[in-house]
Amino acid sequence: RICRMVRLGRIRVQRLEDAPGGLQVFREVLERDPQHPAAITALEEIARSDSSVRGDAAAALEPVFTQNGEHLRLVEVLELRVSATAAPEQRAELLRRMAELYARQLAAPEQAFITAARALREVPDDAAALELCLAYAAAADAEDALADLLEEVAGRAQNPEIRAAEYRALGEVKERHGDAAAAVDAFTAVLAIV
């Protein structure tokens, strides 16, 4: 029965150009057999396509890869969701999840920092993304990149507390690098906000 369902899903997607219908069938297959390889492959194909349901297909794969501990495939699925998501806040949330996976599960601090920086660029007022950037910069040996990032986003932040925190962090980075003039400028910006 499951094999027939997979075949039906493929027919819907490939011949009838009914990706939403195919997606529903593949979800039903995974409800019955969460590790069904053909259903997983089909969902990955939809997620990588330009279909209107590609984000939903990627979301359907998240529990599968989470349960299996397939962290790299989970990151790939989250990246596909980022590309299918319009709202910056939702993209930032997905990027933060990816950054945490890179840092905690994949031992890739550079990728963790890069991904957290993407989240902060999406939403300069994202306190959680700022925290991740600050946490991962040292392990990634990315202090210069952190300074560039903070210079870029601090002026765009609308929340005064976050903007002040970004300028404060920028001042601290500049001070550590011996750039006293830039540190003073950043700390002066903090005082102008608070």
Side-chain angles (χ1 to χ4, degrees):
R1 174 152 166 79
I2 288 181
C3 290
R4 283 190 297 249
M5 289 177 71
V6 170
R7 210 170 307 131
L8 171 64
R10 287 210 173 271
I11 290 170
R12 284 188 168 196
V13 171
Q14 295 169 350
R15 294 195 183 143
L16 301 177
E17 296 182 8
D18 178 17
L23 171 64
Q24 184 57 40
V25 171
F26 297 131
R27 281 182 172 158
E28 290 174 20
V29 169
L30 288 183
E31 285 174 10
R32 295 171 188 212
D33 179 1
Q35 305 304 317
H36 196 281
I40 292 170
T41 299
L43 285 168
E44 286 178 310
E45 290 169 3
I46 295 171
R48 287 186 173 88
S49 73
D50 60 356
S51 168
S52 63
V53 295
R54 69 184 191 272
D56 295 325
L61 290 166
E62 281 183 56
V64 173
F65 298 145
T66 299
Q67 181 180 6
N68 294 344
E70 295 182 66
H71 304 296
L72 188 55
R73 288 178 84 183
L74 179 57
V75 165
E76 291 169 357
V77 163
L78 291 171
E79 183 68 58
L80 291 169
R81 285 193 59 200
V82 169
S83 71
T85 301
E89 293 80 11
Q90 291 173 334
R91 285 194 308 267
E93 178 186 341
L94 293 166
L95 289 163
R96 288 193 316 267
R97 287 180 55 201
M98 290 169 56
E100 290 175 353
L101 284 166
Y102 277 126
R104 295 181 181 154
Q105 303 298 329
L106 298 171
E110 298 86 4
Q111 280 303 118
F113 173 76
I114 290 167
T115 308
R118 286 176 57 200
L120 192 58
R121 283 186 178 99
E122 285 284 343
V123 181
D125 288 309
D126 188 335
L130 173 61
E131 184 178 319
L132 292 176
C133 288
L134 297 175
Y136 300 148
D141 193 27
E143 286 272 311
D144 291 338
L146 176 63
D148 293 342
L149 172 68
L150 293 170
E151 286 175 346
E152 175 187 337
V153 299
R156 293 191 298 132
Q158 300 298 308
N159 181 312
E161 289 177 25
I162 303 298
R163 191 169 60 245
E166 289 169 347
Y167 277 120
R168 186 177 307 108
L170 176 61
E172 291 167 357
V173 170
K174 293 295 186 178
E175 188 174 25
R176 282 194 299 272
H177 288 172
D179 189 346
V184 167
D185 289 344
F187 290 131
T188 301
V190 172
L191 294 173
I193 295 166
V194 293

